Amino acid sequence: MSGTIRERLTARVILLDPADRILLMKGRLPSDPAAPGAWFTVGGGVEPGESLMEAAAREIAEEAGFTDVALGPLLWRGEQVLADHEQRPVRFLEHFILARCAGGEPSREGWQALEREFVDDIRWWSYTDLLACPEPIFPRDLLTRLADLLGPRET
């Protein structure tokens, strides 16, 4: 089966609080732990038998501790190929889902060992703060998509 790239279905979450701040995590890839971190959305792999929305709700609870969340709709899809921790290519089939919650301090209690090792921070970001962020943000077009989602911003 040489040449076959493994695929992983993922539920990525655009989690917003009442002030339209987005929750992002900062971390490094297990395939390159010494690399500088980047900010990315909450979310992860869809488990067997789980729907995208079920996976999104589970990931929000595990990664941020929020369980009272309004989910939907599916905003967009994307895909990217990244190396796993053994340097094998994996095609991530990403589904970005809008979710809203009451906000508050995210909890790290549900983090798995991999998250504890490779995730350095988790915090709420205003759109304005993200515009000034000097660090990489994924997906790369997140700012454009947020501007489209949230409508005109006051300057």
Side-chain angles (χ1 to χ4, degrees), residues 41-110:
T41 60
V42 172
V46 177
E47 301 295 333
E50 194 175 45
S51 72
L52 281 171
M53 294 299 174
E54 290 168 339
R58 177 183 49 76
E59 289 290 341
I60 294 166
E62 288 175 1
E63 293 183 349
F66 301 118
T67 54
D68 188 11
V69 177
L71 284 170
L74 172 64
L75 296 172
W76 75 87
R77 293 181 173 103
E79 73 175 58
Q80 63 178 319
V81 176
L82 298 170
D84 68 10
H85 65 284
E86 295 177 15
Q87 302 301 320
R88 298 171 301 192
V90 178
R91 177 175 288 112
F92 289 84
L93 305 174
E94 301 172 317
H95 295 75
F96 289 85
I97 298 162
L98 178 64
R100 291 190 175 271
C101 71
E105 189 63 33
S107 169
R108 300 174 189 213
E109 286 183 28

Side-chain angles (χ1 to χ4, degrees), residues 14-24 42 60-61 63-70 99-107 122-125:
I14 306 301
L15 182 59
L16 301 176
D17 73 359
D20 282 340
R21 295 182 307 163
I22 185 172
L23 187 66
L24 296 178
V42 172
I60 294 166
E63 293 183 349
F66 301 118
T67 54
D68 188 11
V69 177
R100 291 190 175 271
C101 71
E105 189 63 33
S107 169
I122 182 170
R123 65 171 274 215
W124 294 102
W125 288 84

Side-chain angles (χ1 to χ4, degrees), residues 111-152:
W111 285 17
Q112 299 173 4
L114 205 60
E115 290 156 336
R116 291 187 190 285
E117 184 174 354
F118 294 105
V119 176
D120 302 318
D121 200 0
I122 182 170
R123 65 171 274 215
W124 294 102
W125 288 84
S126 72
Y127 181 80
T128 305
D129 289 343
L130 276 178
L131 286 174
C133 179
E135 298 164 305
I137 300 168
F138 289 98
R140 292 191 190 280
D141 62 350
L142 182 61
L143 286 171
T144 301
R145 290 187 181 270
L146 282 178
D148 293 344
L149 177 68
L150 301 174

